[in-house]
Structures are given as structure tokens and as C-alpha cells.
Amino acid sequence: MTVVSVKNDGYVNNEIFARPEMNANFEDLTPKARRTRLALLEAARVELGNRGVAGVTVMAVCERAGIGRTSFYNYFEDTGALVSTVAEEAAKDVKERFDALHSGVPRGRKRLEACLRMILETATNDSEAILLVTSLANSAPKIMELLRAEISAELAAFARVPAKDQPVLVDHLTQTVLALAHQMAIGNLAKESVDCHVEFMMRACG
């Protein structure tokens, strides 16, 4: 790719030149470069949660982060690369929340109930995190796969549902808890309704 810029940006006019910030590991970045990259990621999380994947633009992210558009391309090739990075980190965060929640607890009904409750309670306590997850759910397969795998593993340990019907139940619970969490995060459902929603979802498990 031909890059047209000035030497102060780290490039050479009209020459193919590797972008050191984009190609470097996070640990190898200078403190200033780390702050810039983190600011872009944080701005992208907010934009994704508010506007969805289709609404994220380089301009909007840079304006929110207070960073020039030229600097954006030092760290991410395009909005697709930015969204992909945010999705990877969101999936990692979800996995860490599950692992912390389930430490030392055997698989089964109690773990599934705790999982569903945690997602809904997070929507009321950390709405930005849930808005991000629900925004990415349909465009970032890793997040949906992670949620489905978690719910499927718990159901398999206790649910009295025919094996052929379990995938349908897994999809039902995954889509339902995400829809409820989104509504809670935007304030359309009361925090006090978490117990009722969890109870209704668990009833579907038999």
C-alpha cells in the first residue's frame, strides 16, 4: 500500500513503509502510543454500544477519543479491524466473568441460573458492557458461540429435554437473555424484575 504523509507521522512520502505502531505488540508501544490506542478502543466501545456496528465510523471514534484521523491509521487498518479487536476483548471479558462466577461450582441448574442472572445484573450495573455485547452479538460470532457453549454445557448437565430439542432451547435462552439485558441496559426494564425473568427462563429448562 502506498502511503502519502509526512515524516513526522512516521511515514515516507509516496513510499511503502511499515507502520510501526500497527505492527508492534501492545507491550512494545511507547506510553503515548498505548494511551492513544486505548483511547481509540474505549471510544469504539461506546460508539458500538450506542450506534451498533453499522454506525461506527473513523470520524466518530476519533472525535470521541479526541484523536486526529491520521493517527487512527497508525493503529488500525480500518473500522473492521477496530471492531474485530473490540469484539475479541469483549469475548475475553465475558469468558472471564463466567469463569469467576463458576469457580468451584459443578455444572448444572444452579450454574445456569447464576449465568443468566449475572448477565441481567450486569445490564443494570455496567450498562456500557452489556450494550457493547448485545451490539456485537450478531456480528461477532465468537461472542455468540461463547454464550451458546456456556448455556449448552449447563443444560446438558441437568435439563430433561430431548437431545434433538436442546439446540433450540440453547438458542431460545441465548437470544432471550441478550434481548432482556439490552432492554435493561437502556432502562426499559426495572432492575427489580431480574428475579422474575430468570425464573421464567429457568422454567423453560424443565
Side-chain angles (χ1 to χ4, degrees):
M1 179 175 63
T2 301
V3 178
V4 180
S5 186
V6 296
K7 292 183 178 180
N8 287 340
D9 287 335
Y11 312 126
V12 176
N13 288 343
N14 298 319
E15 292 184 11
I16 297 174
F17 193 79
R19 300 178 179 182
E21 294 92 340
M22 186 185 293
N23 296 329
N25 293 324
F26 181 78
E27 294 76 12
D28 297 331
L29 296 175
T30 65
K32 181 180 178 181
R34 290 187 186 188
R35 289 194 298 272
T36 301
R37 186 176 184 277
L38 289 173
L40 289 169
L41 288 170
E42 182 57 35
R45 292 185 191 101
V46 177
E47 289 294 315
L48 281 163
N50 291 341
R51 303 170 185 268
V53 174
V56 174
T57 65
V58 172
M59 182 178 292
V61 169
C62 289
E63 285 182 358
R64 184 175 290 277
I67 293 167
R69 291 184 64 186
T70 301
S71 294
F72 174 92
Y73 295 102
N74 289 347
Y75 304 91
F76 302 100
E77 187 173 341
D78 51 28
T79 53
L82 176 65
V83 170
S84 178
T85 301
V86 172
E88 288 280 343
E89 294 187 358
K92 181 180 178 181
D93 178 61
V94 170
K95 183 66 168 63
E96 288 175 351
R97 288 175 189 257
F98 282 150
D99 289 346
L101 181 70
H102 297 327
S103 180
V105 180
R107 287 197 180 277
R109 178 178 286 273
K110 287 186 177 180
R111 270 181 53 150
L112 176 58
E113 183 175 345
C115 168
L116 299 174
R117 185 181 303 280
M118 181 269 289
I119 293 172
L120 296 186
E121 289 180 345
T122 300
T124 66
N125 300 327
D126 188 0
S127 60
E128 280 193 3
I130 289 299
L131 286 174
L132 176 61
V133 168
T134 56
S135 175
L136 289 169
N138 292 324
S139 58
K142 182 168 289 189
I143 291 177
M144 288 299 285
E145 288 168 7
L146 192 156
L147 291 171
R148 284 195 180 101
E150 189 73 22
I151 291 173
S152 179
E154 305 306 338
L155 281 174
F158 79 92
R160 298 177 181 178
V161 178
K164 64 182 181 63
D165 294 334
Q166 284 205 13
V168 177
L169 181 54
V170 169
D171 284 340
H172 170 72
L173 290 174
T174 303
Q175 296 293 343
T176 298
V177 74
L178 285 175
L180 289 170
H182 180 78
Q183 290 301 309
M184 285 189 168
I186 63 177
N188 286 347
L189 291 176
K191 180 178 182 178
E192 293 73 22
S193 65
V194 167
D195 288 344
C196 288
H197 289 302
V198 172
E199 180 183 349
F200 292 150
M201 285 187 285
M202 292 306 298
R203 285 182 187 177
C205 302

